[in-house]
Amino acid sequence: MTTPTLPLRCTTDFNPSDTLRIRPWLDDVIDALGFDPRSQYVEIFWLSQLGPSTTWFMRRVAAGLDQNPGGYTLVLGDTAQSLGLSESGRRKSAFVRAVTRTIKFGLAYAEGPDVLRVRRRLPPLSRCQIERLPDGLRAAHDRWQEEQLQSPGSDRQRRQARLLALSMIEMGDELDAAERRLAELRYHPGLAHDAATWAWARHRAALAAAG
């Protein structure tokens, strides 16, 4: 999957008590190019990766951030019950495990024991994640990707090319390899070069910012 570079302030000391403070994880690229947790893409393709509990949690958080863009507080017991999950046992409860999976998949990070920064949008599945999909879903994702490549409009093409290039580079491809793969996907050479160069610059900037 696409693994973001986490900010230096993140912590693994995630141990919420009765409440959990939700704050948005701002990312200009994923916010602009990613998928709303309530979107069809997430429901069809991300669901098999995250599981239903974590997917529903992400949907609930997205709705909360729509109403409170700067962040808000969840009451754990009430939220767990509303999602049909157990909150007993605290750190080992079904609800806390569902929340922790958002961190595992790079969709959130703990800013403190009871503070969670959460992405407002999800990136596309990585190549490794796509390969782990069931045969039918993998074929459906291939069809979806092909449809995106055939969509009219230069802005949409540039958007998709940059998103694909960023996913490739964060998965370990070098600049030249990402550009070559975009060309193999029938992107115009100029567009492939632009997208790969842009994605490489953003990736390097994120690494530099992380120290």
Side-chain angles (χ1 to χ4, degrees):
M1 60 172 284
T2 300
T3 304
T5 301
L6 297 183
L8 291 175
R9 60 182 177 275
C10 71
T11 175
T12 57
D13 185 23
F14 179 62
N15 185 24
S17 54
D18 296 327
T19 62
L20 178 62
R21 180 68 181 172
I22 300 293
R23 293 176 178 166
W25 178 353
L26 304 178
D27 185 319
D28 291 343
V29 174
I30 301 302
D31 286 347
L33 305 181
F35 302 93
D36 189 290
R38 297 156 291 187
S39 68
Q40 188 177 42
Y41 181 92
V42 172
E43 182 174 341
I44 294 175
F45 302 120
W46 264 106
L47 178 61
S48 68
Q49 307 294 308
L50 297 176
S53 299
T54 302
T55 302
W56 273 106
F57 175 74
M58 290 295 296
R59 291 165 66 100
R60 181 64 57 86
V61 167
L65 289 175
D66 283 347
Q67 298 177 1
N68 305 279
Y72 64 100
T73 299
L74 285 176
V75 178
L76 296 192
D78 292 346
T79 305
Q81 289 180 7
S82 71
L83 296 177
L85 298 173
S86 167
E87 201 256 332
S88 61
R90 291 298 180 188
R91 299 195 73 164
K92 295 183 179 180
S93 71
F95 178 68
V96 172
R97 289 201 306 271
V99 175
T100 303
R101 283 177 68 81
T102 66
I103 300 174
K104 174 183 176 181
F105 281 89
L107 306 179
Y109 68 88
E111 197 173 45
D114 56 359
V115 180
L116 194 68
R117 289 274 182 179
V118 185
R119 288 196 181 279
R120 296 176 296 184
R121 290 180 175 268
L122 279 63
L125 295 183
S126 69
R127 181 176 55 192
C128 290
Q129 287 175 316
I130 293 170
E131 290 174 352
R132 291 197 296 268
L133 290 173
D135 291 344
L137 275 182
R138 187 165 61 248
H141 195 279
D142 289 343
R143 290 193 298 271
W144 173 85
Q145 203 166 40
E146 189 68 24
E147 289 171 0
Q148 300 307 302
L149 297 176
Q150 300 301 325
S151 298
S154 57
D155 288 344
R156 187 182 183 90
Q157 288 283 319
R158 182 175 293 105
R159 174 182 181 275
Q160 293 297 330
R162 287 184 170 187
L163 183 57
L164 285 170
L166 184 61
S167 179
M168 294 171 187
I169 287 172
E170 290 190 341
M171 280 296 299
D173 281 359
E174 296 293 329
L175 173 60
D176 291 346
E179 182 175 347
R180 183 168 59 253
R181 289 181 61 198
L182 288 173
E184 291 171 353
L185 290 170
R186 300 194 297 278
Y187 280 102
H188 185 278
L191 182 58
H193 176 75
D194 169 84
T197 301
W198 174 89
W200 182 258
R202 183 185 182 279
H203 177 71
R204 298 297 295 176
L207 291 178

